[in-house]
Amino acid sequence: LNFASSCIKWVAMNSLIGSGALDFVSQLQVAGCYNPYGMTMIRSAQSTLMNFLVLQGASATLSLVLAPFSAYFGGKLVGVPYVK
C-alpha cells in the first residue's frame, strides 16, 4: 500500500514537472505584464508550486522508506496488548 501511494505521488509530481507548470509561472514573472498586485500573486503562486513539489517529493520518498516497516510490522501490532 505504501509503495503504491509512493508511485502515485511520484506520478503526480512528475506530471506537474512534465506539464511545464514551473516554466509557465516563471515566464509570467519575467514578462511582468501585470500590476503590482498581480505580480505579487505570481510570485506567491511560484513559491507555492515549488513548495508543493518539494513536499510531494519528500512524501513520496518517505512512503518508500515506510514500506518495508509496514510490511514487517503489518499484522504483528493488531489488537490490544495486555500484560500477563
Side-chain angles (χ1 to χ4, degrees), residues 34-48:
Y34 300 103
N35 62 13
Y37 179 70
M39 293 305 292
T40 304
M41 285 179 56
I42 290 174
R43 281 192 295 274
S44 174
Q46 187 175 22
S47 67
T48 301

Side-chain angles (χ1 to χ4, degrees), residues 1 3 5 7 12 27-28 32 34 49 54 57 82:
L1 186 63
F3 183 75
S5 68
C7 289
Q27 287 175 359
L28 282 176
Y34 300 103
L49 183 60
V54 168
Y82 60 92

Side-chain angles (χ1 to χ4, degrees), residues 71-83:
Y72 182 72
F73 294 111
K76 297 180 183 177
L77 300 176
V78 176
V80 179
Y82 60 92
V83 179

Side-chain angles (χ1 to χ4, degrees), residues 17-80:
I17 292 171
S19 70
L22 282 174
D23 294 333
F24 176 71
V25 175
S26 64
Q27 287 175 359
L28 282 176
Q29 187 173 5
V30 169
C33 298
Y34 300 103
N35 62 13
Y37 179 70
M39 293 305 292
T40 304
M41 285 179 56
I42 290 174
R43 281 192 295 274
S44 174
Q46 187 175 22
S47 67
T48 301
L49 183 60
M50 184 57 84
N51 289 336
F52 174 75
L53 289 174
V54 168
L55 289 175
Q56 191 76 2
S59 177
T61 302
L62 291 176
S63 288
L64 276 179
V65 170
L66 185 63
F69 295 109
S70 179
Y72 182 72
F73 294 111
K76 297 180 183 177
L77 300 176
V78 176
V80 179

